[in-house]
Amino acid sequence: QSVLTQPPSVSGAPGQRVTISCTGSNSNIGAAYAVHWYQLLPGVVPKLLIYGNTNRPSGVPGRFSGSRSATSASLAITGLQAEDEADYYCQSYDISLSGYVFGTGTKVTVL
Amino acid sequence: EVQLLESGGGLVQPGGSLRLSCAASGFTFSTYAMSWVRQAPGKGLEWVSSTGGRGTPSYYAESARGRFTISRDNSKKTLYLQMNYLRDEDTAVYYCANHNWDDGRFDFWGQGTLVTVSS
């Protein structure tokens, strides 16, 4: 089981703002290991969306933003669009497990 | 353009072996750490293994340690995952990804190859 907990699903109407939480512990996010976010769409190669807690790779739209505080992190999508309907995963490193860990995943639905 | 193309997946019986390959292009392969990540049907992502640009060091998730071996051939720009003593729970899509050793992110991913362990 994952050590990073995300809500199973979030939804919003086009144009709205949604946030996805990623709750960890003092052995991962709380130990200052960076948090990264990925977008998974069926039939599409997984995509790095946010790296180093808050940074967007080249080509990722500005409506995606990340934040981190204490033992948790969040991904926000501002101005939700139909093509944002996908699964989203956070990821970090866990010192207790000596390995990389992913969140439980969140399905975003655009109403 | 970075491209990662996995191959080698298929149906294998419990206790069997399989070797996955990942052919890379579009970046200087030997300077990047590489990793394998898997996703079981209906489940989330799970990190499996990572290796440095020269094939060392290598790290494994608890679920893979002692059964799986990651390796690479930089002359062929190819990453491998040798999987032995396969179990039902190893059934998953296996992705290769290039890996930033500094902050732990997985920059680019392949499309994945499906491994099914079943009798």
Side-chain angles (χ1 to χ4, degrees):
Chain A
Q1 68 218 32
S2 177
V3 298
L4 302 180
T5 302
Q6 300 176 229
S9 64
V10 299
S11 62
Q16 283 190 329
R17 181 178 186 269
V18 297
T19 61
I20 302 169
S21 60
C22 174
T23 302
S25 68
N26 288 326
S27 63
N28 41 69
I29 300 175
Y33 289 105
V35 179
H36 320 292
W37 292 89
Y38 303 88
Q39 180 189 58
L40 271 70
L41 284 160
V44 178
V45 171
K47 179 181 179 181
L48 175 67
L49 214 55
I50 297 288
Y51 69 93
N53 306 316
T54 61
N55 303 294
R56 280 190 313 275
S58 174
V60 172
R63 64 179 182 275
F64 293 95
S65 63
S67 64
R68 174 183 155 260
S69 176
T71 57
S72 66
S74 291
L75 173 72
I77 310 174
T78 305
L80 195 63
Q81 297 187 7
E83 59 260 36
D84 299 333
E85 191 161 283
D87 293 328
Y88 295 83
Y89 289 84
C90 60
Q91 177 249 320
S92 186
Y93 181 83
D94 191 285
I95 190 67
S96 296
L97 297 174
S98 298
Y100 300 98
V101 290
F102 286 91
T104 48
T106 298
K107 181 172 182 59
V108 169
T109 302
V110 182
L111 302 172
Chain B
E1 179 191 4
V2 172
Q3 289 197 338
L4 297 167
L5 185 61
E6 301 94 336
S7 61
L11 175 64
V12 61
Q13 292 188 336
S17 299
L18 211 56
R19 188 177 85 154
L20 306 182
S21 301
C22 171
S25 62
F27 64 103
T28 307
F29 182 71
S30 61
T31 65
Y32 272 86
M34 295 293 296
S35 296
W36 290 96
V37 176
R38 68 184 183 183
Q39 185 174 30
K43 304 292 185 181
L45 297 171
E46 179 189 16
W47 168 73
V48 175
S49 181
S50 298
T51 188
R54 297 184 180 182
T56 182
S58 295
Y59 301 105
Y60 298 89
E62 184 63 35
S63 58
R65 200 170 297 134
R67 299 186 302 128
F68 294 1
T69 303
I70 192 170
S71 63
R72 61 193 295 162
D73 185 334
N74 285 345
S75 68
K76 296 181 178 179
K77 298 182 182 180
T78 301
L79 176 74
Y80 302 100
L81 185 68
Q82 177 67 43
M83 303 186 296
N84 299 328
Y85 307 108
L86 283 162
R87 306 165 179 164
D88 291 351
E89 55 265 35
D90 294 319
T91 294
V93 173
Y94 285 73
Y95 298 99
C96 72
N98 62 2
H99 185 191
N100 186 299
W101 225 220
D102 291 336
D103 67 4
R105 71 182 187 258
F106 303 100
D107 282 312
F108 294 97
W109 301 56
Q111 88 291 340
T113 187
L114 175 62
V115 172
T116 303
V117 184
S118 175
S119 54

